[in-house]
Amino acid sequence: MFSLRNCGLWVAASLTKKRLTLARFSGDSAAPLATKFDVIVIGGGHAGTEAAAAAARCGSRTLLLTHRVDTIGQMSCNPSFGGIGKGHLMREVDALDGLCSRICDQSGVHYKVLNRRKGPAVWGLRAQIDRKLYKQNMQKEILNTPLLTVQEGAVEDLILTEPEPEYTGKCRVSGVVLADGSTVHAESVVLTTGTFLRGVIVIGLEMHPAGRLGDQPSIGLAHTLEKLGFVVGRLKTGTPPRIAKESINFSILNKQTPDNPSIPFSFISETVWIKPEDQLPCYLTHTNPKVDEIVLENLHLNSHIKETTRGPRYCPSIESKVLRFPNRLHQVWLEPEGMDSDLIYPQGLSVTLPAELQEKMITCIKGLEKAKMIQPGYGVQYDYLDPRQITPSLETHLVQRLFFAGQINGTTGYEEAAAQGVIAGINASLRVKRKPPFVVSRTEGYIGVLIDDLTTLGTNEPYRMFTSRAEFRLSLRPDNADSRLTFRGYKEVGCVSQQRYERASWMKSSLEEGISVLKSIEFSSSKWKKLIPEASISIGKSLPLSHL
Amino acid sequence: MWRGLWTLVARAARGPRSPRPCTRQGSGVPVPGSGTTIFALSSGHGRCGIAVIRTSGPASGHALRSLTAPRDLPPARSACLRLLSHPRSGEPLDRALVLWFPGPQSFTGEDCAEFHVHGGPAVVSGVLQALGSVPGLRPAEAGEFTRRAFAHGKLSLTEVEGLADLIHAETEAQRRQALRQLDGELGHLCHGWAGTLTKALAHVEAYIDFGEDDNLEEGVLEQGGSCKGWGHLVSQPPEAPSLPPLCSLPSTANSEVRELQLALGAHLRDARRGQRLRSGAHVVVAGPPNAGKSSLVNLLSRKPVSIVSPEPGTTRDVLETPVDLAGFPALLSDTAGLREGAGPVEQEGVRRARERLEQADLILAVLDASDLASPSSRNFLDTVVAPAGAGSPNGNSQRLLLVLNKSDLLPPGGPDPSPNLRPHLLLSCLTGEGLDGLLEALRKELAEVCGDPSTGPPLLTRARHQHHLQGCLDALGHYTQTKDLALAAEALRLARGHLARITGGGGTEEILDIIFRDFCVGK
């Protein structure tokens, strides 16, 4: 069913009967699309899919516009989801009934919880994901979401009208103009264009305008936003080369095995789709002085590094690692791209050297002596909009009912994008219904930390989540995301399914019951000492940490 | 399974929403009231030779031009004579010196203007009215100039406090202390501590956030010292049954925390000194009845505070008077003579006197030099003077100066009336003989009690400084005890928060800056 490319309009495939009437569109691409939607989401990446699905879950008739339907759910950089801080975000997205956690539970090939020995507040759920499976599962989910329509098309401009006087903003968005000149009207518009705003791909000294290797950038939209007065900045990021799996000598490398049992990302998944013994391992290797040498000798062939544009400090290219921390061995993780993929993703080897030098550099590394490079690493430079121009509901101050989510706001990472997507989708829908916005505070979740940091401090490098950014880290744990957000999502917004709400309620009452049972057990401190000799029981009345 | 268990264990941390205020501060803090321009009379009120009126804010330049029209702005930071006139009516107000301080090189960091006008009330009110008529200007609220200076990072919190103290300083020692604090010495000390703590925290945070995800690389881990533990931990099997003891953390973080604990402890031990200097040391004059206590109080304060009579028991209540004793501020208390068996009113006075003695920073024990053998004198020497002199082992004994009054009654050139007494001073309140010696002795004692503000480490001048240092120290204690790494990091965060509350500042971005400077984090 995914071979229907180039068909202009996509209709949700398995609509329930009562909703069928709402989504009765012509599949004929030639017919002008004079339909009006509640919410239009531009972009089918990790922010766009979450935004579109969230708006639809809230009951808004939603249109997802994307350059190509077959790239919906594409993981354009690393083949993994989650991590420390990022896993927290995924749990929160899931608590609001978002998609990515459930899709990851159906698509992973190596599940592993990081930080197991450092206290439950900082556990990091993480998994290697099969790119193809993820994309398939995500597309299946999106195309089967009630009230959600998907259409291919490049957005060239926004339709703007008079502002509503009771809100701030100099105008209001009321639809979009597509590249073919046709217009689609909507009450709210969510922009999730990622790196596609004047995106440029850099390999060595070559530069190509593109949002992702092989995909066209959005130039018209970038002009429109600039004309409206949005402050635009420029960021860069990079991705490593891909290596043929069979050309690597794994036998001499350190092997990392997945967790047994696997911990699912989603609160409503009992388990993941694959047994631990069927999962794929990762391998570890290191760079060496020869790699440094190649990088340093060829800096003149590397325009990406010379640029002054800010790149992330925490996901640096091998070039900046060599320059900033010379004479060290740097780790390279060799990660599988999927169950039946013959590609390996060398995490830690993000590079923008000319392709032939990349190949030369790779073959210096232990285990990769005979490695075959299938696709070179490249750098991406792109526009982002200063996120201080948006409110905590992700609506722009300048243009009413226009929402930004994802990399366009200066973040990096699938999880950060997904988190903003859910919030933008929910608020785009609430705005149509003239309801107050749904805002997560810093005390309630990493989503709140993310959005508060962006909207109040802005960012001058690609923003990534860390647990150290959360002041209330001890209470914002991955395991209690449901108790923090699911009930709010259900009662205030209606973006949470009945099934999830019931499960969260059950968990909540079980926990309360367990706590009251534990509280009812009282012994003297000497008895406790006898029962649990290793526990340190202070006799003096010291205040708990929270009272300091 | 993992969630249920851990939810129970860590529930305490979750609890109801914490009342602790969010301590994010930094560049992103919106400047209160920025955008408007404020003006105020900065010198004292009332008739005077020169009065200074200040403005601060973006419209300062416009205001200055409006009042000095048709002339343009004077050169930055140089005094110029200008005719001030009302911008609406054009009526001349005064010929005044004006100064122009373009931001950020100004007291508040904003554009500032100063008008040094003649100090007549009509001139001052005329100029203030003229400024009020300039669009965008409004009268300043109390302390608003300083607040803007703080908001623009021109002054830290302790410097603001130092400034307030300098304005209110009445004695020389207070002035010296306030000036040192205004110069940022206390702030620098706290910043130094906070810097150490931030670095330790950054290393722990790096270990939490990047130890496994991005695999801090081994070479980098040894940067801060010998911390092989990290490298091991990363490659240990995740199923390791127990949490790692903190000693396996970067040894730098732990040793730095231990050093900081020692430094804070040492500083807290003499913590009250700066406060005494700021608010005045409690000097209590005590002794048996009719020893001349009230005469001494009147002599030291140079005014008739207490009624003096030859009758024993004249002073019945505690009488307080603030005095400048050899440059140090002191609150001098005159108390009832200590004796038993008087009437109920005097007994209450004696009770209050004893109560006051317990709170005293310095006791001035006054005895009648000619009457040392009397029972009340002997009793006083035994119950008050001896214990204070003996001192307690922790070094916190009360300071006491023994003064033998009425030296004029002793036979001239006679032998010391009390060779067995502890060191003492002879004084005659009647003739003033021995007063210089007493003042010198008081200066030495008060310098000990208050700390000498011109030497030694900067002192903690307010109770809140002490409170937060103690809070910091307590939190560091939790850090060294706890086994859960997230809880340990929380303790460090709390400790750092307490330090940040002394000076302001302390956002999470600082931590990340250190992490990325010290470690090669990256996939």
Side-chain angles (χ1 to χ4, degrees):
Chain A
M1 73 177 270
F2 300 106
S3 58
L4 294 170
R5 270 183 69 180
N6 304 326
C7 169
L9 188 66
W10 290 68
V11 182
S14 73
L15 293 171
T16 58
K17 270 178 194 159
K18 79 174 178 208
R19 279 171 177 147
L20 195 58
T21 50
L22 293 173
R24 198 189 301 130
F25 299 121
S26 155
D28 180 1
S29 60
L33 192 73
T35 323
K36 197 171 154 114
F37 289 89
D38 292 327
V39 176
I40 293 180
V41 176
I42 305 169
H46 301 283
T49 48
E50 294 289 355
R57 282 201 304 279
C58 294
S60 292
R61 281 178 308 125
T62 306
L63 174 68
L64 175 63
L65 280 169
T66 174
H67 282 186
R68 278 162 51 193
V69 169
D70 69 341
T71 59
I72 287 178
Q74 172 108 313
M75 300 168 65
S76 23
C77 192
N78 50 318
S80 63
F81 252 92
I84 297 156
K86 289 165 171 274
H88 293 66
L89 281 174
M90 288 178 73
R91 274 284 166 99
E92 291 178 10
V93 168
D94 186 61
L96 293 169
D97 228 348
L99 313 176
C100 63
S101 295
R102 272 186 294 127
I103 307 291
C104 281
D105 288 340
Q106 301 159 18
S107 323
V109 294
H110 177 115
Y111 293 86
K112 189 167 185 68
V113 176
L114 305 176
N115 268 354
R116 268 289 178 83
R117 289 159 298 115
K118 293 181 197 160
V122 295
W123 286 8
L125 287 83
R126 188 180 186 281
Q128 298 301 136
I129 306 288
D130 183 314
R131 286 180 198 281
K132 209 170 81 188
L133 269 178
Y134 186 88
K135 201 152 93 169
Q136 271 175 19
N137 288 327
M138 180 56 91
Q139 289 179 4
K140 195 158 69 187
E141 180 78 27
I142 286 292
L143 296 172
N144 286 294
T145 301
L147 294 180
L148 177 58
T149 309
V150 180
Q151 188 193 342
E152 280 190 345
V155 174
E156 275 301 307
D157 209 347
L158 301 173
I159 304 172
L160 301 169
T161 50
E162 285 299 301
E164 293 166 289
E166 65 267 38
Y167 294 96
T168 56
K170 61 180 185 184
C171 53
R172 174 165 65 94
V173 69
S174 62
V176 297
V177 181
L178 302 183
D180 62 3
S182 62
T183 58
V184 191
H185 290 270
E187 299 282 325
S188 299
V189 173
V190 183
L191 210 55
T192 68
T193 49
T195 61
F196 279 64
L197 284 183
R198 274 196 289 241
V200 170
I201 281 185
V202 189
I203 307 176
L205 296 176
E206 296 168 46
M207 296 179 111
H208 317 274
R212 176 169 51 206
L213 208 54
D215 290 321
Q216 284 305 303
S218 305
I219 308 275
L221 207 49
H223 278 303
T224 304
L225 294 174
E226 219 164 10
K227 263 189 291 176
L228 278 167
F230 283 103
V231 177
V232 180
R234 197 114 175 113
L235 290 174
K236 68 177 178 186
T237 185
T239 190
R242 308 298 146 85
I243 301 169
K245 193 176 192 171
E246 78 280 351
S247 67
I248 299 174
N249 179 10
F250 289 114
S251 61
I252 55 169
L253 299 177
N254 285 333
K255 182 173 171 179
Q256 182 193 253
T257 51
D259 282 345
N260 189 1
S262 305
I263 308 285
F265 285 100
S266 173
F267 286 107
I268 54 172
S269 302
E270 290 297 338
T271 178
V272 300
W273 72 292
I274 185 173
K275 281 189 278 189
E277 52 270 31
D278 296 336
Q279 295 178 19
L280 303 174
C282 295
Y283 293 88
L284 178 64
T285 182
H286 290 91
T287 65
N288 53 46
K290 268 190 245 162
V291 172
D292 289 25
E293 214 172 280
I294 292 174
V295 167
L296 293 173
E297 275 173 12
N298 296 291
L299 285 176
H300 60 288
L301 296 175
N302 209 328
S303 61
H304 193 61
I305 294 305
K306 285 186 281 187
E307 299 277 337
T308 48
T309 313
R310 292 290 293 263
R313 291 177 294 182
Y314 31 74
C315 190
S317 58
I318 188 70
E319 292 97 327
S320 47
K321 283 196 245 184
V322 166
L323 287 172
R324 286 184 53 212
F325 299 95
N327 305 321
R328 298 231 175 85
L329 303 184
H330 300 285
Q331 289 185 332
V332 178
W333 281 101
L334 301 176
E335 302 178 342
E337 294 239 325
M339 239 23 205
D340 54 3
S341 166
D342 48 10
L343 289 185
I344 288 291
Y345 179 95
Q347 190 208 73
L349 218 55
S350 168
V351 61
T352 53
L353 281 170
E356 63 279 10
L357 287 168
Q358 291 189 22
E359 192 143 35
K360 190 174 154 200
M361 179 184 85
I362 288 169
T363 51
C364 298
I365 296 173
K366 184 180 167 193
L368 304 180
E369 292 86 354
K370 291 180 182 153
K372 243 177 65 198
M373 187 175 81
I374 304 296
Q375 177 193 310
Y378 60 88
V380 184
Q381 300 180 1
Y382 56 98
D383 280 357
Y384 77 106
L385 300 165
D386 186 336
R388 283 173 294 191
Q389 302 171 98
I390 54 178
T391 68
S393 71
L394 301 183
E395 184 175 353
T396 65
H397 288 296
L398 274 176
V399 181
Q400 296 174 358
R401 299 180 176 227
L402 178 63
F403 295 77
F404 291 159
Q407 237 168 336
I408 190 173
N409 288 332
T411 62
T412 175
Y414 308 148
E415 304 81 359
E416 286 82 355
Q420 294 171 65
V422 169
I423 297 298
I426 287 173
N427 280 309
S429 174
L430 288 175
R431 190 74 163 76
V432 174
K433 298 177 196 158
R434 301 191 158 270
K435 284 196 191 162
F438 179 76
V439 174
V440 179
S441 85
R442 294 186 80 87
T443 63
E444 276 176 310
Y446 279 71
I447 293 182
V449 173
L450 169 77
I451 293 176
D452 187 55
D453 276 349
L454 289 175
T455 55
T456 59
L457 300 177
T459 185
N460 53 13
E461 67 176 337
Y463 181 102
R464 172 180 149 189
M465 184 46 70
F466 312 115
T467 69
S468 47
R469 296 193 193 269
E471 289 82 3
F472 303 90
R473 177 166 65 193
L474 288 187
S475 38
L476 307 182
R477 301 192 313 274
D479 59 284
N480 64 14
D482 55 344
S483 68
R484 290 183 272 124
L485 295 174
T486 299
F487 301 105
R488 279 196 66 196
Y490 182 80
K491 287 172 187 153
E492 291 174 38
V493 185
C495 67
V496 172
S497 70
Q498 187 67 28
Q499 179 210 0
R500 180 183 292 273
Y501 174 73
E502 275 162 17
R503 195 180 159 91
S505 304
W506 169 82
M507 179 56 82
K508 186 169 177 243
S509 57
S510 311
L511 284 174
E512 278 163 4
E513 200 183 306
I515 289 165
S516 68
V517 166
L518 287 179
K519 277 192 170 169
S520 69
I521 305 171
E522 287 186 9
F523 294 123
S524 67
S525 54
S526 56
K527 178 90 184 274
W528 278 121
K529 193 88 204 162
K530 243 177 265 167
L531 290 171
I532 317 171
E534 64 274 21
S536 63
I537 298 166
S538 72
I539 309 296
K541 269 215 165 174
S542 71
L543 287 172
L545 269 180
S546 57
H547 285 233
L548 278 176
Chain B
M1 173 206 90
W2 66 299
R3 65 168 272 160
L5 188 62
W6 285 112
T7 313
L8 293 181
V9 172
R11 189 189 161 273
R14 195 166 146 191
R17 202 137 296 149
S18 168
R20 196 152 42 86
C22 172
T23 52
R24 271 174 85 247
Q25 287 174 17
S27 56
V29 175
V31 176
S34 67
T36 63
T37 300
I38 51 172
F39 66 92
L41 174 66
S42 297
S43 53
H45 288 269
R47 209 180 304 271
C48 53
I50 300 284
V52 178
I53 294 165
R54 276 196 298 192
T55 73
S56 173
S60 290
H62 174 62
L64 185 52
R65 257 193 301 254
S66 302
L67 264 68
T68 59
R71 309 199 46 184
D72 203 5
L73 288 178
R77 286 177 295 284
S78 53
C80 290
L81 192 65
R82 291 278 194 276
L83 179 69
L84 302 186
S85 48
H86 197 284
R88 294 247 176 87
S89 62
E91 186 191 346
L93 298 167
D94 191 13
R95 192 168 290 279
L97 273 186
V98 296
L99 283 153
W100 166 236
F101 302 95
Q105 287 159 282
S106 67
F107 170 67
T108 60
E110 303 175 323
D111 287 353
C112 288
E114 276 184 21
F115 302 87
H116 296 214
V117 301
H118 292 102
V123 176
V124 170
S125 68
V127 174
L128 289 177
Q129 268 174 22
L131 283 172
S133 74
V134 177
L137 261 70
R138 64 165 174 81
E141 285 157 28
E144 208 176 353
F145 282 94
T146 312
R147 189 166 150 194
R148 289 189 176 200
F150 173 65
H152 287 103
K154 285 279 173 178
L155 292 173
S156 76
L157 215 47
T158 50
E159 286 165 13
V160 170
E161 287 170 343
L163 179 63
D165 287 351
L166 188 63
I167 290 169
H168 292 116
E170 287 181 353
T171 75
E172 212 175 314
Q174 279 180 323
R175 189 204 68 219
R176 268 189 239 127
Q177 166 163 288
L179 194 60
R180 283 188 72 185
Q181 190 168 332
L182 175 60
D183 283 344
E185 286 198 30
L186 180 59
H188 290 156
L189 184 69
C190 290
H191 270 306
W193 289 334
T196 308
L197 209 47
T198 305
K199 191 156 186 213
L201 180 58
H203 286 224
V204 175
E205 296 283 4
Y207 184 54
I208 290 175
D209 269 341
F210 307 108
E212 287 182 33
D213 202 357
D214 300 78
N215 294 296
L216 287 179
E217 299 176 15
E218 282 146 60
V220 183
L221 296 179
E222 281 150 24
Q223 212 180 29
S226 61
C227 37
K228 292 206 173 91
W230 279 23
H232 288 313
L233 281 172
V234 173
S235 51
Q236 260 178 23
E239 289 78 23
S242 63
L243 294 163
L246 284 176
C247 58
S248 60
L249 265 178
S251 55
T252 45
N254 283 343
S255 64
E256 277 171 6
V257 164
R258 227 165 286 126
E259 276 170 31
L260 193 58
Q261 277 179 308
L262 293 178
L264 291 179
H267 216 82
L268 272 171
R269 266 195 288 283
D270 49 25
R272 280 257 307 138
R273 296 203 301 183
Q275 281 179 57
R276 284 190 200 115
L277 182 54
R278 188 172 160 269
S279 49
H282 286 276
V283 179
V284 175
V285 182
N290 221 15
K293 298 179 292 297
S294 298
S295 302
L296 180 59
V297 168
N298 290 348
L299 188 68
L300 289 175
S301 60
R302 295 182 211 92
K303 58 187 176 189
V305 174
S306 304
I307 299 168
V308 180
S309 83
E311 201 177 305
T314 307
T315 307
R316 291 185 167 181
D317 211 340
V318 176
L319 291 172
E320 288 181 344
T321 181
V323 292
D324 175 349
L325 285 180
F328 289 93
L331 194 66
L332 203 55
S333 303
D334 188 13
T335 60
L338 301 177
R339 66 168 170 181
E340 310 291 328
V345 177
E346 199 182 334
Q347 277 311 303
E348 174 61 18
V350 168
R351 193 192 64 76
R352 291 186 184 189
R354 291 192 190 283
E355 197 178 84
R356 192 53 65 101
L357 270 178
E358 282 171 19
Q359 301 163 2
D361 295 319
L362 174 64
I363 298 170
L364 269 181
V366 183
L367 285 164
D368 185 339
S370 62
D371 188 32
L372 288 175
S374 72
S376 60
S377 296
R378 294 249 59 97
N379 188 30
F380 181 75
L381 282 170
D382 291 345
T383 57
V384 177
V385 179
S392 52
N394 59 17
N396 283 339
S397 71
Q398 269 182 314
R399 300 199 156 261
L400 183 140
L401 268 184
L402 185 56
V403 179
L404 301 186
N405 188 23
K406 306 189 187 178
S407 63
D408 49 296
L409 295 182
L410 296 174
D416 194 315
S418 48
N420 303 326
L421 271 184
R422 54 180 277 161
H424 54 268
L425 297 150
L426 279 175
L427 174 77
S428 168
C429 289
L430 195 68
T431 63
E433 200 187 337
L435 183 61
D436 289 346
L438 175 62
L439 283 177
E440 178 56 24
L442 274 172
R443 196 194 61 73
K444 277 190 193 147
E445 289 292 328
L446 286 172
E448 280 294 322
V449 168
C450 302
D452 188 340
S454 40
T455 57
L459 300 166
L460 309 172
T461 53
R462 299 194 185 220
R464 66 172 203 93
H465 299 163
Q466 194 186 353
H467 170 79
H468 287 304
L469 277 197
Q470 189 62 53
C472 177
L473 197 56
D474 292 348
L476 291 181
H478 280 283
Y479 168 79
T480 46
Q481 281 163 23
T482 185
K483 288 213 168 76
D484 180 315
L485 200 58
L487 289 175
E490 183 68 12
L492 282 189
R493 287 173 170 210
L494 281 171
R496 183 166 167 269
H498 277 295
L499 284 186
R501 265 173 248 183
I502 297 181
T503 55
T508 50
E509 203 53 36
E510 274 177 50
I511 301 173
L512 293 176
D513 285 342
I514 292 185
I515 292 177
F516 295 125
R517 193 191 65 216
D518 286 4
F519 303 113
C520 184
V521 170
K523 302 178 177 184

